[in-house]
Amino acid sequence: DGGPETGSSAVAATGANSIAISGSSTVEPISARVGERFDAANPSNSTTVEGPGTGDGFARLCAGEIDISDASRPIKDAEAEDCAANGIEYVELHIATDGLTVMTNPSNTTVDCLTFADLYALTGPESEGLENWSEANALAAELGGFAGFPDADLVVVGPGEESGTYDTYVEFVISDIAEERGQEESTRADYEASANDNVVVQGIAGNPTSIGWVGFAFFEQNADVLRAVEIDGGNGCVLPTIETIASFEYPLSRPLFIYVKTNELGTKSALVEFVDFYLSDEGVEAVGDAGYVELPAEDLEATRAAWAQAKG
Amino acid sequence: MTANSALIDLTGDPRRRRRERTVRFVFMTAAGVSVLISLAIVLSLIEQAWQFVVAIEFDQLLANGWFPRRGRFEFLTLFVHSSIITGIAMLVAVPFGLGSAIYLSEYAKPTSRRILKPILEVLAGIPSVVLGFFALQFLTPSVIRKVFPAADSANFLAAGIGVGILIIPLVASVSEDAMRAVPRALREASYGLGAKQWHTALRVVVPAALSGIAAAIILGISRAIGETMVVALAAGLNGIRNLNPLEGGLTMTGAIANLSVGSDQVAGNDSAFQSLFFVGLMLFTLTLGLNVISERVVRRYRQRY
Amino acid sequence: MATTSTSELVGRSLRRRGRSWVNTTIAGAMLFSLLFSLIVLVVLLADTIVKALPVFRSRGLEFVTANLSSQVDSAGIAQGIMGSLALTFLVIVIAFPLGVSAAVYLEEYARDNRWTRMINANIRNLAGVPSIVYGILGLFLFVKLINQGLFSVADGISGRNLIAGGLTLSVLVLPIMIITTAEALRAVSRELREASFGVGATKWETIRAQVLPVALPGILTGAVLTISRAFGETAPLLLAGAVLSQYFSVSSDAGLVDLVSNQPYTALPLIVYNFARQPETEFVQLTAAAILVLLGMLLSVNAATILLRDRVERRRG
Amino acid sequence: MNLERSPVRLTGGQSPVVDGSPGDERTSVVFDLEELNVFYGSFRAVKDVTVPIRKNEITALIGPSGCGKSTVLRCFNRMNDLIEGARVEGSIRYHGVDLYGDDVDPVEVRRRIGMVFQRPNPFPKSIYDNIVFGPKIAGRKTGLDDLVEESLTKAALWDEVKDKLRDSASDLSGGQQQRLCIARAIATNPDVVLMDEPCSALDPIATLRIEELMLDLKRDYTIVIVTHNMQQAARVSDRTAFFSVDVNEVGQRTGRLVEFDTTDKLFTTPAQTETEQYITGRFG
Amino acid sequence: MNLERSPVRLTGGQSPVVDGSPGDERTSVVFDLEELNVFYGSFRAVKDVTVPIRKNEITALIGPSGCGKSTVLRCFNRMNDLIEGARVEGSIRYHGVDLYGDDVDPVEVRRRIGMVFQRPNPFPKSIYDNIVFGPKIAGRKTGLDDLVEESLTKAALWDEVKDKLRDSASDLSGGQQQRLCIARAIATNPDVVLMDEPCSALDPIATLRIEELMLDLKRDYTIVIVTHNMQQAARVSDRTAFFSVDVNEVGQRTGRLVEFDTTDKLFTTPAQTETEQYITGRFG
Ligand SMILES: Nc1ncnc2c1ncn2[C@@H]1O[C@H](COP(=O)(O)OP(=O)(O)OP(=O)(O)O)[C@@H](O)[C@H]1O
Ligand SMILES: Nc1ncnc2c1ncn2[C@@H]1O[C@H](COP(=O)(O)OP(=O)(O)OP(=O)(O)O)[C@@H](O)[C@H]1O
Ligand SMILES: [Mg+2]
Ligand SMILES: [Mg+2]
């Protein structure tokens, strides 16, 4: 079991009035805001929100250490098996949508739209060691991308591997191509990684020929110093906007979840109240405040229904 | 007379004797705790590190770079990065630390010494996380970037200088002790031969205190390798081996800190976190070795004078 | 006569040939290397103050009393201050008695044999172990074991609590405490001890009534070191379960036991670290402000202990 | 007890001359050292000392530096127990009881056998606390004030300090401090007081006062004093033991008793040439 | 220069008797102390010393401990400059030049006036480096090997060490170390060598060798030696200055010159009873 040993591990799901949340740093801002507002109303409650990474969140959820796991990707089978093995039951609640935004420096005008092939050529496992955009042309062309990259320093910046954002990027952009080419399903190792999305933003803003990806929220907050790149997922180039993301028209749109442990719902009223609040209209505002895309009405209803059913 | 001997009872008060035994036992237990601690450290490290070693393939330790989540555990990279930072740190700490020591023990009059010594004591009291912030937010932007505009926001140079500043007081105080242990007679001999102050300081006292100074430097190295917060803040997280002081990289302590902040356990990838104990064990062995060596060296000059 | 000329010759040969510039430069260099530390201190402080100024201007001391928050402009460090004070208190009640007792045993009771020398060497080495390794120990020994209900006060108790942190820091500073105390005891004269034994005092009576009082100032000096070390430590707490996040809250109706054994906690240096990791300028300013508070508290803790020591010294005349 | 033992006179360069002198019968023996050997680790500091110490007398131990005077003295109240590796062979009987017997508590021994040291070593406390420390730990709770006055008076210090009993003892002059130490020693009501060069740190006037004091004290106490100063031994002591020292090839100094006799006899008609040379100052 | 100054004879208990003795004219005066007073802070360690030191002679300073012998000696090469608060009044002329004159560089003084200390203090370096240290810092670069041999030969040490010049000086015996220190002192080619109880740490054999050495050396050098050992002073010195010490009420010890004369005269027919008492060992 990796769980109980994890570094900032083991906020044991404890006394009736304390709620432990951990997981995706992408979702952390939402949960933090919700928690803050919930505690304001219930001072006797104790909430802890941490963002070590989606995987850590699931590990701890399945170790029974936390009540809610923030996730920027669905739970993996292996993780689900872990939970089952430990007798942990949970409900998956889709609470927001994020558009994983590929971006570059505003002064970089040569790139407007990229295919997955291009991104694979620039940031995939086979790109390890490339230091110039043009070096990626051959592979990009071979894979049927636009290619035609200029002769300029290539600086790749992105969230650390512990983040769900990274997983999503690999899953959406890299996996398929890597699979058929028999490559490791991961990005190149030699990119500037940071656990802190703002550092990523600064890395790109600070370098004219950089490329990188973050959650839409962080892009939006820094739209003035960044330039989003259109993505062609096969149906033409799409720019990430609230609309294109909400409608999943943007190829890198991804759902954000919270996974709530249901074992103690009967005994732990605070948790029930907390999630109720999370899904209430007041709670949902936090999504927008945190800069993410709120769910369309029908999706929100679906989520609330799922929660209602879980409460039984 | 013989009756007298019967009168004399020297057996004393049994209650007092019992109390003595109890107190002694309590203190002994307290002293024992320190031993328990060391055992606990060694055991916890070894136990967990072993789990790591058996869990991974050997060639993962030679894979390219330190990427726990990809099962790449090239310890060498961490070691190299730690060494670079330590090197830079010593380039700062040795000259300034030794200089301070020489000034305090050879030049400063008792009065000025009383005023100057506290400078080092205050510096020694600054928490390392503060110096980490200083390195990240002052040294890099306001000093290093001024000289080398190409320097990354996280780079070895800033971290190294930060660590160096941190250990100046250590190097200074240990080597000053060594110099003050040099008997006055040697200084008088030197002056008696018409030596100037700097002759005496640099050609008589420093050589005579050399082993103590060596000990100070070794201790400094050990402290530099073990320093965490400055590195975690100012040296960056890059797991690919990098030798350029203007770019950053993950060190041993940095890796531990990073893993503890967020290791991203994915089921079936436990060794990512276990590697923390492996690195910890390496760090512990390394610093312990250095400390033991410096102990030896110090004892040499202690018994000389 | 000849001698006069010798006198002149000698006079000339003894004449001072101007100040030796080598001597002066070297002296200057040494002095500078010492003053460098001072320069660093000044720059560090000035830079921090400048960066912190906006916070104090816009928020006054409000950010000292405010709790953590996901919004930069309302985030405060109150929880860190409380945590650090609590941890320091725990260190005082755990590490001091333990450290002093151990030192007393090693200096006063233990015979000078291989076993004793081994323990002493071991303690000196412990003092040199990197603090983050103590963090690993804390994680393994305290957090984990408490989680598994070893020291559990109540069921389902969390290992990430002040007790785990306090124990970790206590273990970390114990060697320092022992070493400084031992030095203080060693400085007490043999005559004093013999005087006490001479009037029929037992060992413990001698230590309690004669040796410890005389050694107290030295012991308190060790206390200063110990406290400031514990107060500024960050790395071990990263592993020993302190919360490192944008937001957490402590239940308003948590009792004392609950607070130390069951509520999440953090410490001021950790907040500094967490803020320092955030690149936005607001956080840079917040970090600087938090650092000023940290340094301020360190200073006052030291000052307090030093004053106490001087009081003791004066009382003993 | 061996009071009846007729005065032995041993002869021959190395063997000590121990003379019971006239009047043995008058006074009883308090300490009885027989074949005493003291070792520091493997090194023998003192060899085969046989001396009786008599009640209400002042016995002086004299001899060159390093001959083991202090070492012997520190056996009388088992002070040597405190020195690592110090070991005693032979017997010391105190009123017939073997001082080093298993059931003997050195703490109790030291309470009954007080000690005054070479350098005045008052506790860094008030004069009052210096005196009462011993009695208090011995369990005495009442009449402490009287005890303080009594002890200080006996030590001829009362008049000088009675108005500042609460002041720190460290502020007293060397001579006063030493008398305070004597007062402290007799406060536990011992029947023997050991003094190791009690005056060596004092000026002549202070020395004289202490010597007078000793002569007063011997009415109530038995006193053993180590001194470098032969005039002093001659002035105050009833009997004198003269130690000398043999140096072996590796330079280790082993002390031995040369002669023990009444002070008059030893200083006027010493039985040993070695003694005579020493007291006439021709060696050591 | 004051060679023409006729021998002064002062009389009266306290004032020193300085006798130029026959043969002044033969030898010239190297040092000329007049009314020398030395203070440590406010405390006067030595009072009104007036002594001439003559060329190629050995002058001995004797007297009880604390009478200021070392203090006076350390004035000859301004060693006292190194002690905080040490101050000199009166004049020391060296070949007629005021040693404490403003334009005199103490470093130069010490280069020409070597010193040997009470306890052997070789540098923890090789024998060779010990010798060449002085000359090197004086800027000498060539002929060092010859210099080493020459100095060691003069110091009667060459034969014993010529095969291990690179070994550490610390491995030598005490006597050898002290001779090494003498060699080191003469390696800078001084014309005076000061020695402060150079033999007090040595065994009789080593002492004898050093004394012989001094007698050799005085052909080339002027020697001033402090010693506790009167036999030594008598054996080696040509002239002797006897110091005594007055203790004031607060116990401060101020040394003064009692008598200065040729050694024979001072030891056979001292002018002062105080001197006689001291040399016959009846006080001090
Ligand atoms: N604690 C000790 N450990 C080892 N040897 C010791 C110790 N104390 C004394 N000695 C040795 O025992 C011998 C006798 O010492 P002691 O002090 O009894 O002589 P002493 O007659 O009192 O000398 P002094 O007149 O100078 O006090 C000396 O050779 C001394 O070196
Ligand atoms: N550095 C110093 N500071 C203060 N007082 C000193 C210092 N050195 C010596 N004295 C005092 O000056 C007086 C003379 O000391 P000095 O060492 O010259 O005497 P001495 O004749 O050499 O004695 P000894 O024969 O024991 O060496 C003594 O009273 C001593 O206490
Ligand atoms: Mg003695
Ligand atoms: Mg002297």
Side-chain angles (χ1 to χ4, degrees), chain B residues 109-110 185-186 188-189 191-192 194-195 199 203, chain E residues 74 79 84 107 110-111 121-122 125 137 184:
Chain B
K109 298 212 179 329
L186 282 189
E188 293 204 320
Y191 287 118
H199 286 129
R203 298 210 184 153
Chain E
R74 295 164 62 87
M79 256 328 202
E84 289 232 357
V107 172
R110 298 188 196 118
R111 204 159 280 169
N121 57 355
K125 307 179 173 206
I137 59 176
R184 183 176 63 184

PDB file of all heavy atoms in Angstrom, chain B residues 109-110 185-186 188-189 191-192 194-195 199 203, chain E residues 74 79 84 107 110-111 121-122 125 137 184:
ATOM      1  N   LYS B 109      40.809  42.839  18.662  1.00  0.00           N
ATOM      2  CA  LYS B 109      41.074  43.001  20.090  1.00  0.00           C
ATOM      3  C   LYS B 109      39.861  42.471  20.851  1.00  0.00           C
ATOM      4  O   LYS B 109      38.758  42.435  20.295  1.00  0.00           O
ATOM      5  CB  LYS B 109      41.281  44.486  20.402  1.00  0.00           C
ATOM      6  CG  LYS B 109      42.483  45.092  19.680  1.00  0.00           C
ATOM      7  CD  LYS B 109      43.126  46.181  20.509  1.00  0.00           C
ATOM      8  CE  LYS B 109      44.341  46.792  19.842  1.00  0.00           C
ATOM      9  NZ  LYS B 109      45.094  45.859  18.977  1.00  0.00           N
ATOM     10  N   PRO B 110      40.060  42.072  22.092  1.00  0.00           N
ATOM     11  CA  PRO B 110      38.933  41.480  22.838  1.00  0.00           C
ATOM     12  C   PRO B 110      37.653  42.304  22.730  1.00  0.00           C
ATOM     13  O   PRO B 110      36.564  41.768  22.513  1.00  0.00           O
ATOM     14  CB  PRO B 110      39.455  41.486  24.282  1.00  0.00           C
ATOM     15  CG  PRO B 110      40.927  41.422  24.149  1.00  0.00           C
ATOM     16  CD  PRO B 110      41.267  42.179  22.904  1.00  0.00           C
ATOM     17  N   ALA B 185      52.630  30.405  22.772  1.00  0.00           N
ATOM     18  CA  ALA B 185      54.088  30.286  22.629  1.00  0.00           C
ATOM     19  C   ALA B 185      54.503  30.317  21.160  1.00  0.00           C
ATOM     20  O   ALA B 185      55.498  30.938  20.802  1.00  0.00           O
ATOM     21  CB  ALA B 185      54.565  28.993  23.280  1.00  0.00           C
ATOM     22  N   LEU B 186      53.691  29.671  20.296  1.00  0.00           N
ATOM     23  CA  LEU B 186      54.059  29.653  18.876  1.00  0.00           C
ATOM     24  C   LEU B 186      54.031  31.069  18.306  1.00  0.00           C
ATOM     25  O   LEU B 186      54.913  31.483  17.561  1.00  0.00           O
ATOM     26  CB  LEU B 186      53.109  28.758  18.096  1.00  0.00           C
ATOM     27  CG  LEU B 186      53.348  27.261  18.222  1.00  0.00           C
ATOM     28  CD1 LEU B 186      52.485  26.505  17.244  1.00  0.00           C
ATOM     29  CD2 LEU B 186      54.816  26.953  17.994  1.00  0.00           C
ATOM     30  N   GLU B 188      54.470  33.856  19.941  1.00  0.00           N
ATOM     31  CA  GLU B 188      55.618  34.605  20.480  1.00  0.00           C
ATOM     32  C   GLU B 188      56.880  34.195  19.733  1.00  0.00           C
ATOM     33  O   GLU B 188      57.683  35.036  19.349  1.00  0.00           O
ATOM     34  CB  GLU B 188      55.755  34.340  21.967  1.00  0.00           C
ATOM     35  CG  GLU B 188      54.605  34.908  22.787  1.00  0.00           C
ATOM     36  CD  GLU B 188      55.001  35.156  24.228  1.00  0.00           C
ATOM     37  OE1 GLU B 188      55.730  34.315  24.777  1.00  0.00           O
ATOM     38  OE2 GLU B 188      54.573  36.183  24.795  1.00  0.00           O
ATOM     39  N   ALA B 189      57.047  32.877  19.493  1.00  0.00           N
ATOM     40  CA  ALA B 189      58.229  32.428  18.751  1.00  0.00           C
ATOM     41  C   ALA B 189      58.299  33.166  17.430  1.00  0.00           C
ATOM     42  O   ALA B 189      59.333  33.706  17.042  1.00  0.00           O
ATOM     43  CB  ALA B 189      58.145  30.927  18.519  1.00  0.00           C
ATOM     44  N   TYR B 191      56.815  36.050  16.451  1.00  0.00           N
ATOM     45  CA  TYR B 191      57.127  37.472  16.602  1.00  0.00           C
ATOM     46  C   TYR B 191      58.582  37.650  17.013  1.00  0.00           C
ATOM     47  O   TYR B 191      59.268  38.556  16.551  1.00  0.00           O
ATOM     48  CB  TYR B 191      56.202  38.116  17.634  1.00  0.00           C
ATOM     49  CG  TYR B 191      54.793  38.307  17.128  1.00  0.00           C
ATOM     50  CD1 TYR B 191      53.722  37.667  17.728  1.00  0.00           C
ATOM     51  CD2 TYR B 191      54.545  39.121  16.029  1.00  0.00           C
ATOM     52  CE1 TYR B 191      52.428  37.839  17.269  1.00  0.00           C
ATOM     53  CE2 TYR B 191      53.258  39.300  15.561  1.00  0.00           C
ATOM     54  CZ  TYR B 191      52.201  38.660  16.179  1.00  0.00           C
ATOM     55  OH  TYR B 191      50.945  38.827  15.703  1.00  0.00           O
ATOM     56  N   GLY B 192      59.062  36.740  17.860  1.00  0.00           N
ATOM     57  CA  GLY B 192      60.432  36.838  18.333  1.00  0.00           C
ATOM     58  C   GLY B 192      61.437  36.767  17.189  1.00  0.00           C
ATOM     59  O   GLY B 192      62.555  37.239  17.308  1.00  0.00           O
ATOM     60  N   GLY B 194      60.944  38.254  14.420  1.00  0.00           N
ATOM     61  CA  GLY B 194      60.734  39.428  13.578  1.00  0.00           C
ATOM     62  C   GLY B 194      59.662  39.235  12.543  1.00  0.00           C
ATOM     63  O   GLY B 194      59.693  39.832  11.470  1.00  0.00           O
ATOM     64  N   ALA B 195      58.686  38.356  12.832  1.00  0.00           N
ATOM     65  CA  ALA B 195      57.589  38.162  11.889  1.00  0.00           C
ATOM     66  C   ALA B 195      56.550  39.255  12.081  1.00  0.00           C
ATOM     67  O   ALA B 195      56.335  39.730  13.188  1.00  0.00           O
ATOM     68  CB  ALA B 195      56.938  36.799  12.112  1.00  0.00           C
ATOM     69  N   HIS B 199      52.492  37.399   8.762  1.00  0.00           N
ATOM     70  CA  HIS B 199      53.330  36.203   8.755  1.00  0.00           C
ATOM     71  C   HIS B 199      52.835  35.229   9.807  1.00  0.00           C
ATOM     72  O   HIS B 199      52.588  34.059   9.552  1.00  0.00           O
ATOM     73  CB  HIS B 199      54.785  36.578   9.080  1.00  0.00           C
ATOM     74  CG  HIS B 199      55.484  37.263   7.960  1.00  0.00           C
ATOM     75  ND1 HIS B 199      56.154  38.445   8.146  1.00  0.00           N
ATOM     76  CD2 HIS B 199      55.613  36.936   6.658  1.00  0.00           C
ATOM     77  CE1 HIS B 199      56.679  38.825   7.000  1.00  0.00           C
ATOM     78  NE2 HIS B 199      56.373  37.930   6.074  1.00  0.00           N
ATOM     79  N   ARG B 203      51.344  32.068   8.297  1.00  0.00           N
ATOM     80  CA  ARG B 203      52.405  31.075   8.118  1.00  0.00           C
ATOM     81  C   ARG B 203      52.646  30.258   9.371  1.00  0.00           C
ATOM     82  O   ARG B 203      53.323  29.238   9.314  1.00  0.00           O
ATOM     83  CB  ARG B 203      53.698  31.779   7.718  1.00  0.00           C
ATOM     84  CG  ARG B 203      53.557  32.509   6.413  1.00  0.00           C
ATOM     85  CD  ARG B 203      54.856  32.564   5.683  1.00  0.00           C
ATOM     86  NE  ARG B 203      54.728  33.364   4.467  1.00  0.00           N
ATOM     87  CZ  ARG B 203      55.762  34.000   3.928  1.00  0.00           C
ATOM     88  NH1 ARG B 203      56.944  33.946   4.506  1.00  0.00           N
ATOM     89  NH2 ARG B 203      55.601  34.694   2.815  1.00  0.00           N
TER      90      ARG B 203
ATOM     91  N   ARG E  74      61.727  40.976  28.333  1.00  0.00           N
ATOM     92  CA  ARG E  74      60.869  41.177  27.169  1.00  0.00           C
ATOM     93  C   ARG E  74      60.871  42.627  26.694  1.00  0.00           C
ATOM     94  O   ARG E  74      60.284  42.946  25.664  1.00  0.00           O
ATOM     95  CB  ARG E  74      59.448  40.699  27.474  1.00  0.00           C
ATOM     96  CG  ARG E  74      59.369  39.199  27.719  1.00  0.00           C
ATOM     97  CD  ARG E  74      58.072  38.805  28.392  1.00  0.00           C
ATOM     98  NE  ARG E  74      56.915  39.116  27.564  1.00  0.00           N
ATOM     99  CZ  ARG E  74      56.431  38.278  26.644  1.00  0.00           C
ATOM    100  NH1 ARG E  74      57.004  37.107  26.465  1.00  0.00           N
ATOM    101  NH2 ARG E  74      55.397  38.620  25.919  1.00  0.00           N
ATOM    102  N   MET E  79      59.012  42.669  23.125  1.00  0.00           N
ATOM    103  CA  MET E  79      57.980  41.640  23.140  1.00  0.00           C
ATOM    104  C   MET E  79      56.752  42.134  23.893  1.00  0.00           C
ATOM    105  O   MET E  79      55.629  41.739  23.610  1.00  0.00           O
ATOM    106  CB  MET E  79      58.509  40.388  23.844  1.00  0.00           C
ATOM    107  CG  MET E  79      58.893  39.232  22.938  1.00  0.00           C
ATOM    108  SD  MET E  79      57.943  39.070  21.464  1.00  0.00           S
ATOM    109  CE  MET E  79      58.220  37.383  21.082  1.00  0.00           C
ATOM    110  N   GLU E  84      48.533  43.430  25.867  1.00  0.00           N
ATOM    111  CA  GLU E  84      47.662  44.601  25.986  1.00  0.00           C
ATOM    112  C   GLU E  84      47.969  45.340  27.291  1.00  0.00           C
ATOM    113  O   GLU E  84      48.104  44.720  28.343  1.00  0.00           O
ATOM    114  CB  GLU E  84      46.195  44.164  25.960  1.00  0.00           C
ATOM    115  CG  GLU E  84      45.762  43.696  24.603  1.00  0.00           C
ATOM    116  CD  GLU E  84      44.481  44.398  24.138  1.00  0.00           C
ATOM    117  OE1 GLU E  84      43.927  45.203  24.917  1.00  0.00           O
ATOM    118  OE2 GLU E  84      44.065  44.143  23.007  1.00  0.00           O
ATOM    119  N   VAL E 107      59.367  45.177  14.661  1.00  0.00           N
ATOM    120  CA  VAL E 107      59.683  44.001  13.849  1.00  0.00           C
ATOM    121  C   VAL E 107      61.179  43.953  13.565  1.00  0.00           C
ATOM    122  O   VAL E 107      61.829  42.925  13.755  1.00  0.00           O
ATOM    123  CB  VAL E 107      58.866  44.028  12.537  1.00  0.00           C
ATOM    124  CG1 VAL E 107      59.329  42.923  11.622  1.00  0.00           C
ATOM    125  CG2 VAL E 107      57.384  43.917  12.843  1.00  0.00           C
ATOM    126  N   ARG E 110      63.132  42.932  16.698  1.00  0.00           N
ATOM    127  CA  ARG E 110      63.113  41.498  17.040  1.00  0.00           C
ATOM    128  C   ARG E 110      63.963  40.699  16.066  1.00  0.00           C
ATOM    129  O   ARG E 110      64.494  39.650  16.401  1.00  0.00           O
ATOM    130  CB  ARG E 110      61.669  40.994  17.030  1.00  0.00           C
ATOM    131  CG  ARG E 110      60.819  41.706  18.070  1.00  0.00           C
ATOM    132  CD  ARG E 110      59.455  41.102  18.210  1.00  0.00           C
ATOM    133  NE  ARG E 110      58.581  42.045  18.910  1.00  0.00           N
ATOM    134  CZ  ARG E 110      57.494  42.568  18.391  1.00  0.00           C
ATOM    135  NH1 ARG E 110      57.124  42.254  17.156  1.00  0.00           N
ATOM    136  NH2 ARG E 110      56.766  43.427  19.081  1.00  0.00           N
ATOM    137  N   ARG E 111      64.116  41.237  14.844  1.00  0.00           N
ATOM    138  CA  ARG E 111      64.934  40.528  13.871  1.00  0.00           C
ATOM    139  C   ARG E 111      66.393  40.536  14.319  1.00  0.00           C
ATOM    140  O   ARG E 111      67.111  39.556  14.173  1.00  0.00           O
ATOM    141  CB  ARG E 111      64.779  41.216  12.512  1.00  0.00           C
ATOM    142  CG  ARG E 111      65.066  40.339  11.344  1.00  0.00           C
ATOM    143  CD  ARG E 111      64.433  40.890  10.090  1.00  0.00           C
ATOM    144  NE  ARG E 111      63.011  40.599   9.983  1.00  0.00           N
ATOM    145  CZ  ARG E 111      62.205  41.152   9.074  1.00  0.00           C
ATOM    146  NH1 ARG E 111      62.688  42.031   8.224  1.00  0.00           N
ATOM    147  NH2 ARG E 111      60.935  40.833   9.040  1.00  0.00           N
ATOM    148  N   ASN E 121      59.519  25.953  22.053  1.00  0.00           N
ATOM    149  CA  ASN E 121      58.303  26.172  21.253  1.00  0.00           C
ATOM    150  C   ASN E 121      58.605  26.127  19.761  1.00  0.00           C
ATOM    151  O   ASN E 121      58.401  27.108  19.047  1.00  0.00           O
ATOM    152  CB  ASN E 121      57.672  27.510  21.630  1.00  0.00           C
ATOM    153  CG  ASN E 121      58.664  28.661  21.452  1.00  0.00           C
ATOM    154  OD1 ASN E 121      59.823  28.439  21.135  1.00  0.00           O
ATOM    155  ND2 ASN E 121      58.192  29.876  21.637  1.00  0.00           N
ATOM    156  N   PRO E 122      59.110  24.985  19.275  1.00  0.00           N
ATOM    157  CA  PRO E 122      59.333  24.887  17.828  1.00  0.00           C
ATOM    158  C   PRO E 122      57.997  24.932  17.092  1.00  0.00           C
ATOM    159  O   PRO E 122      56.965  24.556  17.657  1.00  0.00           O
ATOM    160  CB  PRO E 122      59.988  23.514  17.671  1.00  0.00           C
ATOM    161  CG  PRO E 122      59.506  22.734  18.845  1.00  0.00           C
ATOM    162  CD  PRO E 122      59.390  23.730  19.963  1.00  0.00           C
ATOM    163  N   LYS E 125      56.453  22.228  12.340  1.00  0.00           N
ATOM    164  CA  LYS E 125      56.872  22.043  10.948  1.00  0.00           C
ATOM    165  C   LYS E 125      58.149  21.230  10.970  1.00  0.00           C
ATOM    166  O   LYS E 125      58.611  20.799  12.029  1.00  0.00           O
ATOM    167  CB  LYS E 125      57.165  23.400  10.295  1.00  0.00           C
ATOM    168  CG  LYS E 125      56.054  24.428  10.403  1.00  0.00           C
ATOM    169  CD  LYS E 125      56.484  25.725   9.743  1.00  0.00           C
ATOM    170  CE  LYS E 125      55.320  26.687   9.690  1.00  0.00           C
ATOM    171  NZ  LYS E 125      55.427  27.650   8.616  1.00  0.00           N
ATOM    172  N   ILE E 137      61.073  35.146   5.944  1.00  0.00           N
ATOM    173  CA  ILE E 137      60.180  36.313   6.056  1.00  0.00           C
ATOM    174  C   ILE E 137      60.992  37.598   6.008  1.00  0.00           C
ATOM    175  O   ILE E 137      60.495  38.653   5.648  1.00  0.00           O
ATOM    176  CB  ILE E 137      59.346  36.265   7.360  1.00  0.00           C
ATOM    177  CG1 ILE E 137      60.247  36.230   8.581  1.00  0.00           C
ATOM    178  CG2 ILE E 137      58.398  35.094   7.347  1.00  0.00           C
ATOM    179  CD1 ILE E 137      59.472  36.273   9.877  1.00  0.00           C
ATOM    180  N   ARG E 184      67.187  28.440  15.673  1.00  0.00           N
ATOM    181  CA  ARG E 184      66.218  29.250  14.947  1.00  0.00           C
ATOM    182  C   ARG E 184      66.458  30.734  15.244  1.00  0.00           C
ATOM    183  O   ARG E 184      66.385  31.593  14.363  1.00  0.00           O
ATOM    184  CB  ARG E 184      64.815  28.838  15.377  1.00  0.00           C
ATOM    185  CG  ARG E 184      63.691  29.529  14.671  1.00  0.00           C
ATOM    186  CD  ARG E 184      62.353  28.980  15.114  1.00  0.00           C
ATOM    187  NE  ARG E 184      62.115  29.211  16.546  1.00  0.00           N
ATOM    188  CZ  ARG E 184      61.046  28.756  17.193  1.00  0.00           C
ATOM    189  NH1 ARG E 184      60.132  28.032  16.557  1.00  0.00           N
ATOM    190  NH2 ARG E 184      60.893  29.005  18.484  1.00  0.00           N
TER     191      ARG E 184
END
